[in-house]
């Protein structure tokens, strides 16, 4: 008897993308599209119902997006991210949450997609150039020694004193080192908008209205009023 086809679930909010992927995969001869979902919630339900061999998952979808659905889906089947999203933060978070690969539309051929689907079922990772570059940058960053400034007792004391999260401590140290928002975004693999949100929270916690004032308080050369922290 011929081998059973590899069964795939496609999760993407764009029906044109879903139809195109289904048609492309059908030409392989050994891949069958078991179901299609328009958001993460539907993808979880259909994955439980159809038990596909591989889930192709978009990052951005209305309602429950791909990142939110990913931790639930990886318990049910191997997941291969298939998306237009090239943001380093999306790549990083997808891999941390268990995705077995990350493909960006426009960066792979039909044959490469078919091969990636087969590899996903076998547990072999697959990345298109944008995702591979992000992964390499992440590995290089994580392999570097931790900044001594972040490890000092004074920084630990300040993080507790001002109530900063570990990410806010990292961002504040980068601000103190003189980095711009764009440089901080690249170093932390987050968007500039996310950096601005962190900075707004940091300024509020440090009772500062400018970078220079926040740096002075963080480095200990100035302190907020006693009444501000009890």
């Amino acid at each position: 008897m011929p081998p059973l086809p590899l069964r795939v679930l496609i999760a993407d909010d764009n029906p044109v993308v879903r139809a195109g992927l289904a048609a492309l995969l059908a030409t392989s001869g050994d891949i069958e599209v078991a179901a299609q979902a328009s958001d993460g919630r539907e993808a979880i339900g259909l994955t439980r119902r159809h038990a596909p061999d591989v889930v192709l998952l978009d990052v951005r979808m209305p309602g429950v997006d791909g990142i939110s659905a990913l931790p639930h889906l990886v318990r049910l089947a191997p997941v291969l991210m298939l998306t237009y999203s090239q943001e380093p933060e999306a790549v990083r978070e997808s891999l941390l949450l268990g995705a077995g690969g990350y493909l960006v539309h426009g960066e792979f051929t039909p044959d490469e997609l078919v091969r990636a689907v087969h590899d996903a079922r076998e547990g072999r990772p697959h990345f298109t150039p944008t995702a591979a570059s992000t992964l390499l940058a992440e590995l290089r960053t994580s392999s570097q020694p931790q900044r001594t400034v972040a490890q000092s007792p004074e920084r630990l004391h300040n993080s507790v004193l001002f109530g900063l999260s570990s990410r806010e401590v990292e961002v504040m140290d980068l601000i103190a080192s003189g980095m711009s928002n764009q440089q901080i975004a690249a170093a932390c693999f987050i968007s500039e908008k996310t950096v601005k949100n962190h900075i707004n929270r940091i300024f509020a916690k440090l009772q500062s209205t400018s970078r220079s004032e926040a740096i002075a308080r963080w480095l200990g050369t100035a302190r907020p009023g006693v009444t501000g922290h009890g």
Side-chain angles (χ1 to χ4, degrees):
M1 293 181 62
L4 293 175
L6 187 156
R7 302 173 72 253
V8 171
L9 181 143
I10 301 171
D12 194 296
D13 63 304
N14 189 328
V16 176
V17 171
R18 294 198 307 270
L21 290 172
L24 189 156
L25 293 172
T27 63
S28 70
D30 62 352
I31 296 178
E32 171 187 298
V33 177
Q36 299 182 33
S38 59
D39 62 23
R41 186 183 302 279
E42 188 178 14
I44 295 169
L46 290 175
T47 298
R48 287 174 176 155
R49 184 185 309 169
H50 295 279
D53 298 302
V54 176
V55 174
L56 301 182
L57 183 65
D58 189 18
V59 169
R60 292 196 177 91
M61 294 181 286
V64 178
D65 61 25
I67 299 296
S68 300
L70 184 55
H72 305 281
L73 289 168
V74 294
R75 300 191 188 107
L76 305 171
V79 178
L80 183 63
M81 307 306 291
L82 186 58
T83 178
Y84 284 101
S85 180
Q86 302 182 32
E87 288 80 1
E89 189 173 21
V91 178
R92 179 177 181 273
E93 192 165 3
S94 295
L95 299 179
L96 288 174
L97 291 174
Y102 198 105
L103 307 184
V104 176
H105 286 293
E107 296 187 355
F108 56 85
T109 65
D111 287 343
E112 288 170 341
L113 174 60
V114 170
R115 185 163 59 252
V117 170
H118 282 282
D119 284 345
R121 181 177 64 171
E122 301 300 325
R124 293 188 293 267
H126 227 279
F127 307 97
T128 51
T130 296
S133 297
T134 297
L135 181 60
L136 180 60
E138 173 77 5
L139 290 172
R140 286 173 174 167
T141 300
S142 64
S143 67
Q144 294 174 355
Q146 293 292 318
R147 291 180 293 274
T148 55
V149 68
Q151 296 177 345
S152 70
E154 182 179 344
R155 291 304 177 279
L156 179 60
H157 171 74
N158 282 354
S159 67
V160 175
L161 175 65
F162 296 118
L164 270 60
S165 67
S166 58
R167 175 64 95 179
E168 289 166 350
V169 169
E170 182 179 14
V171 170
M172 188 59 232
D173 280 337
L174 295 176
I175 292 173
S177 73
M179 281 192 179
S180 66
N181 286 7
Q182 184 177 16
Q183 291 170 323
I184 294 172
C188 297
F189 295 96
I190 57 179
S191 67
E192 285 190 61
K193 181 180 178 181
T194 301
V195 172
K196 291 177 182 177
N197 290 338
H198 284 311
I199 290 175
N200 288 338
R201 288 193 291 268
I202 290 169
F203 281 10
K205 291 179 179 181
L206 268 63
Q207 298 180 18
S208 304
T209 57
S210 67
R211 259 176 150 82
S212 58
E213 187 179 2
I215 291 170
R217 287 181 173 163
W218 184 244
L219 297 179
T221 56
R223 295 290 181 186
V226 174
T227 56
H229 290 282

